[in-house]
Amino acid sequence: EDQVTQSPEALRLQEGESSSLNCSYTVSGLRGLFWYRQDPGKGPEFLFTLYSAGEEKEKERLKATLTKKESFLHITAPKPEDSATYLCAVGNAGNMLTFGGGTRLMVKP
Amino acid sequence: IAGITQAPTSQILAAGRRMTLRCTQDMRHNAMYWYRQDLGLGLRLIHYSNTAGTTGKGEVPDGYSVSRANTDDFPLTLASAVPSQTSVYFCASRALAFTGELFFGEGSRLTVL
């Protein structure tokens, strides 16, 4: 059974205080690891796909990295508008996605 | 650009009642999905459809049914609602069998009393 565990469950940062979110996974035949952002009352919005260990993707203040067991979402000098829940998901050989529970990020000005 | 439209946005329902959550997409995506999101449990797949005319069961299918008569519509039906089905329901779609990029609707918040 595929499993995705995200930590921490919640993270409070001051504006400009860089940090990382963790996504640990076990999956049968990794077809990709995906990061989504979800704002309160909204549906998740796609951020990144990572396909193999060592791969990195960047978007503004966000950088996602991937190893064989986990992925990190690094947030550099965050702003209040980066506050959201960040979801990680893995795709398996059957093309199905399994999501983690998410990390709720709060950035205070 | 509409993307995925879900209805209703919110609903309070008495236990035992039948309820259909509607989902329509205008992106001509082949694959569509229904997830439920509960605090601490993340998004869990209920049912999916890889193409019009086909459906499959996800992780938590009991008590739910779906149909896919055409490409655009993917309704989710609760035949006899129970309080444990209180949740936020998200419909999603993706263009190809495997891109990982799911497009989500805004969600339907359902409360079963």
Side-chain angles (χ1 to χ4, degrees):
Chain A
E1 182 180 330
D2 301 338
Q3 287 192 326
V4 179
T5 303
Q6 292 188 245
S7 61
E9 290 186 6
L11 181 62
R12 293 177 182 266
L13 298 174
Q14 288 296 128
E15 184 172 2
E17 179 186 2
S18 301
S19 189
S20 296
L21 282 55
N22 177 264
C23 171
S24 299
Y25 66 89
T26 57
V27 63
S28 57
L30 179 69
R31 295 291 298 272
L33 185 137
F34 314 98
W35 283 97
Y36 287 80
R37 170 187 171 131
Q38 185 175 22
D39 293 303
K42 303 289 186 181
E45 182 179 338
F46 174 79
L47 290 173
F48 303 111
T49 304
L50 301 165
Y51 289 107
S52 58
E55 189 175 358
E56 298 183 352
K57 292 279 180 70
E58 286 189 64
K59 181 178 181 179
E60 295 181 358
R61 293 174 293 281
L62 302 177
K63 183 169 81 171
T65 61
L66 181 64
T67 72
K68 289 188 177 180
K69 294 183 178 181
E70 57 192 349
S71 176
F72 292 94
L73 184 65
H74 306 278
I75 303 175
T76 302
K79 298 182 178 181
E81 53 261 43
D82 294 322
S83 297
T85 295
Y86 291 86
L87 301 172
C88 170
V90 293
N92 64 18
N95 293 333
M96 302 308 295
L97 268 63
T98 299
F99 282 84
T103 293
R104 185 160 58 94
L105 175 66
M106 295 154 282
V107 182
K108 300 295 185 182
Chain B
I1 299 176
I4 291 189
T5 302
Q6 291 186 234
T9 302
S10 180
Q11 182 76 43
I12 298 174
L13 187 67
R17 297 296 296 270
R18 181 184 179 89
M19 177 72 192
T20 295
L21 304 180
R22 301 183 297 279
C23 175
T24 299
Q25 54 114 347
D26 63 1
M27 298 174 284
R28 306 301 293 173
H29 286 172
N30 285 322
M32 296 187 75
Y33 307 84
W34 274 106
Y35 288 89
R36 59 178 290 173
Q37 188 173 38
D38 303 289
L39 193 64
L41 296 177
L43 286 161
R44 293 181 292 166
L45 182 64
I46 305 170
H47 284 288
Y48 66 94
S49 169
N50 286 329
T51 189
T54 69
T55 62
K57 294 181 179 180
E59 180 185 355
V60 289
D62 294 342
Y64 305 95
S65 64
V66 292
S67 61
R68 187 87 184 277
N70 56 60
T71 297
D72 298 342
D73 300 300
F74 191 43
L76 176 73
T77 297
L78 289 67
S80 179
V82 295
S84 61
Q85 292 178 311
T86 294
S87 187
V88 181
Y89 292 85
F90 287 98
C91 180
S93 72
R94 63 182 173 185
L96 302 175
F98 199 77
T99 66
E101 183 174 357
L102 293 175
F103 293 82
F104 284 86
E106 297 286 81
S108 294
R109 180 176 294 276
L110 183 66
T111 302
V112 183
L113 301 176

